[in-house]
């Protein structure tokens, strides 16, 4: 990895890094070796052992099914974590915007998939210039209309090496051509382009459902079958090995089933949240959670959590914590109290309570009966939705769960 990796390699803790102790200011973030107890609250941490477990679980799962994995990097926007994914066999990194693609290319990611259309002329020219200077890297973007192809050809230099995947959508979904005829017309146009190269077909099934009800699974499964059939129709137009790609972090099992009969192509999943999983939305919907009749050693584990301190107990049954919307995710479910300790990193005891609301900097924790808390206690919070957890922190410590020591931290680029 290049520019961004070099910056991360030389990154030191700054006094403005949220919740990091002043004693670490100036220390390289790869050599912290500091007890968790030295940090302040609110605090988001990553679990070293759980992350390593999740990386291996997903690598084994995809390999057994003959699938590639280009995980969605927008989940973490952390080049150091992208590299861990590449190190266990991922064949590239997926991103959602042209700016994110620029970060990934500058970080030296060999294959970057932009799971979206980039229609920003300045960004397109910037990306094209990078590719011309770095022929060992490739960028593949999506297109869902002929107008998108017109824009790409108009704004990109003739020598561009931009790959294109035709995006198939569905009624009620997000982006994507709504029918196969439109998708075929886009593919035929790209196949004759002197600027663009047709790679195959792409889609996102996760926008079509949000649970694992029979109706939702049937809807997602039918869409995945359509996508698999489309790449077969595109095959004659493609030079080289076709790509077909789908798979968020909720229904990648259905994607794998639909792609299983396909041969002589690159079947690529893009699941990204698996690296840290969660204690909420993905725990309830992922096919690899322990709630799904999956053996523990083959299941994903929550690898992110937050710590928040009791700052007020203004009335019976209510405690206010020092973590709010600026610190923890809330769009796919509120944080879940897991345990409480007298101090950060100290021995934990069970906690029967609920987070009922978040303000900007406060969490409302409700409990029944006698208070299980004292002012200054630290509550461990399980979180829901990694994508909106990472974006609240520029620097996130990785804790050794066996020793409660922080050896390193991850820098994000949001």
């Amino acid at each position: 990895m290049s520019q961004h990796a070099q910056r991360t390699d030389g990154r030191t803790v700054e006094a403005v890094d949220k919740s990091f102790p002043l004693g670490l200011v100036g220390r390289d973030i790869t050599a912290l070796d500091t007890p968790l107890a030295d940090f302040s609250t609110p605090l988001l941490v990553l679990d070293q052992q759980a992350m390593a477990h999740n990386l291996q679980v997903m690598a084994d799962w995809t390999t057994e099914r003959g699938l590639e994995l280009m995980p969605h990097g927008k989940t973490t926007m952390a080049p150091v974590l992208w590299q861990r994914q590449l190190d266990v066999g991922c064949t590239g990194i997926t991103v959602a915007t042209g700016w994110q693609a620029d970060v990934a290319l500058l970080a030296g990611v060999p294959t970057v998939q932009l799971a979206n259309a980039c229609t920003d002329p300045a960004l397109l020219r910037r990306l094209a210039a990078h590719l011309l200077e770095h022929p060992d890297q490739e960028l593949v973007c999506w297109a869902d209309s002929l107008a998108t192809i017109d824009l790409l050809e108009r704004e990109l230099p003739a020598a561009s090496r931009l790959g294109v995947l035709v995006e198939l959508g569905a009624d009620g979904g997000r982006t994507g051509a709504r029918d196969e005829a439109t998708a075929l017309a886009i593919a035929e146009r790209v196949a004759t382009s002197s600027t663009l190269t047709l790679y195959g077909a792409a889609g996102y099934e996760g926008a079509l459902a949000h649970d694992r009800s029979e109706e939702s699974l049937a809807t997602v499964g039918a869409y995945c079958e359509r996508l698999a059939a489309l790449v077969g129709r595109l095959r004659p137009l493609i030079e080289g090995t076709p790509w077909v790609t789908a798979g968020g972090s909720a229904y990648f099992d259905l994607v794998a089933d639909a792609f299983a009969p396909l041969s002589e192509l690159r079947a690529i999943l893009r699941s990204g949240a698996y690296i840290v999983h969660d204690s909420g939305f993905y725990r309830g919907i992922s096919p690899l959670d322990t709630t799904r009749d999956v053996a523990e050693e083959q299941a994903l584990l929550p690898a992110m959590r937050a710590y928040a301190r009791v700052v007020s107990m203004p009335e019976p049954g209510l405690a206010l914590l020092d973590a709010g919307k600026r610190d923890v995710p809330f769009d796919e479910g509120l944080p879940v109290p897991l345990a409480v300790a007298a101090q950060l990193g100290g021995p934990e005891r069970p906690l029967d309570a609920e987070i009922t609301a978040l303000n900007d900097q406060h969490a409302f924790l409700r409990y029944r009966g006698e208070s299980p808390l004292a002012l200054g206690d630290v509550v461990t919070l399980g979180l829901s939705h990694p994508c909106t957890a990472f974006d609240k922190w520029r620097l996130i410590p990785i804790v050794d769960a066996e020793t409660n020591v922080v050896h390193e931290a991850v820098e994000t680029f949001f």
Side-chain angles (χ1 to χ4, degrees):
M1 292 190 173
S2 55
Q3 285 188 27
H4 284 281
Q6 289 169 8
R7 175 180 166 184
T8 297
D9 288 345
R11 171 74 149 92
T12 59
V13 176
E14 301 173 3
V16 294
D17 285 321
K18 185 164 62 173
S19 298
F20 275 69
L22 285 178
L24 289 181
V25 172
R27 185 89 62 87
D28 190 298
I29 64 172
T30 65
L32 299 179
D33 302 323
T34 299
L36 181 64
D38 287 359
F39 287 73
S40 301
T41 57
L43 184 66
L44 175 70
V45 303
L46 304 177
D47 184 312
Q48 175 180 306
Q49 287 85 352
M51 267 201 308
H53 170 88
N54 291 345
L55 286 167
Q56 194 59 55
V57 163
M58 200 63 176
D60 292 343
W61 194 91
T62 51
T63 299
E64 289 168 3
R65 289 158 181 78
L67 300 169
E68 294 183 39
L69 181 57
M70 291 188 186
H72 221 315
K74 59 95 174 173
T75 298
T76 65
M77 282 307 294
V80 166
L81 296 184
W82 298 346
Q83 187 61 53
R84 294 188 186 195
Q85 293 170 306
L86 294 170
D87 288 343
V88 293
C90 293
T91 55
I93 295 294
T94 300
V95 293
T97 69
W99 175 80
Q100 292 175 0
D102 189 44
V103 172
L105 289 171
L106 289 171
V109 174
T111 297
V112 178
Q113 180 181 175
L114 173 50
N116 208 343
C118 182
T119 59
D120 183 319
L123 263 178
L124 285 168
R125 290 190 290 270
R126 179 171 171 170
L127 295 170
H130 179 96
L131 293 171
L132 290 173
E133 293 178 9
H134 299 84
D136 56 326
Q137 293 178 281
E138 65 177 340
L139 174 64
V140 183
C141 74
W142 292 10
D144 66 358
S145 70
L146 292 173
T148 304
I149 306 305
D150 288 340
L151 187 149
L152 293 174
E153 291 189 319
R154 182 173 65 249
E155 299 297 341
L156 290 170
S160 297
R161 299 182 292 107
L162 186 67
V164 173
L165 292 164
V166 178
E167 182 188 1
L168 180 67
D171 291 341
R174 199 163 62 188
T175 54
R178 290 309 197 242
D179 57 74
E180 280 76 357
T182 302
L184 284 167
I186 298 167
E188 289 168 353
R189 172 72 178 279
V190 176
T192 62
S193 174
S194 59
T195 304
L196 309 172
T197 301
L198 181 64
Y199 272 53
Y204 176 53
E205 75 293 340
L208 303 179
H210 293 88
D211 57 41
R212 294 191 76 88
S213 66
E214 290 187 11
E215 181 181 3
S216 293
L217 295 178
T219 297
V220 170
Y223 169 77
C224 293
E225 295 288 347
R226 287 180 59 205
L227 183 59
L230 175 62
V231 74
R233 299 178 69 180
L234 299 186
R235 194 184 292 265
L237 301 172
I238 299 171
E239 295 183 9
T241 305
W243 290 22
V244 60
T245 175
S249 296
Y251 304 109
F252 52 84
D253 55 331
L254 302 185
V255 175
D257 290 344
F259 289 178
L262 304 177
S263 60
E264 298 181 358
L265 51 66
R266 297 177 64 179
I268 303 168
L269 292 183
R270 302 187 309 275
S271 313
Y274 77 92
I275 188 170
V276 292
H277 197 44
D278 71 11
S279 301
F281 177 73
Y282 285 113
R283 183 179 184 194
I285 202 169
S286 169
L288 291 185
D289 190 78
T290 52
T291 59
R292 298 265 96 77
D293 191 28
V294 179
E296 187 172 346
E297 65 273 13
Q298 298 173 327
L300 298 174
L301 302 175
M304 64 173 184
R305 58 183 174 272
Y307 294 101
R309 198 175 300 271
V310 178
V311 294
S312 176
M313 302 181 70
E315 61 188 59
L318 173 64
L320 280 301
L321 310 181
D322 64 353
K325 294 179 180 179
R326 302 291 178 87
D327 313 298
V328 293
F330 57 92
D331 58 311
E332 291 285 3
L334 293 173
V336 179
L338 300 177
V340 62
Q343 61 181 8
L344 183 61
E348 294 185 333
R349 57 188 189 273
L351 176 62
D352 181 13
E354 178 185 8
I355 300 294
T356 58
L358 294 179
N359 290 161
D360 283 353
Q361 310 288 179
H362 292 91
F364 289 71
L365 185 145
R366 302 279 180 177
Y367 58 89
R368 289 173 292 277
E370 293 297 320
S371 172
L373 302 167
L375 204 66
D377 277 356
V378 177
V379 177
T380 303
L381 298 172
L383 305 175
S384 180
H385 199 196
C387 299
T388 50
F390 278 79
D391 65 357
K392 295 170 174 55
W393 296 81
R394 296 192 313 160
L395 203 59
I396 307 172
I398 299 178
V399 63
D400 183 331
E402 297 177 356
T403 63
N404 267 343
V405 172
V406 173
H407 296 292
E408 60 184 312
V410 168
E411 184 179 20
T412 66
F413 291 85
F414 284 96

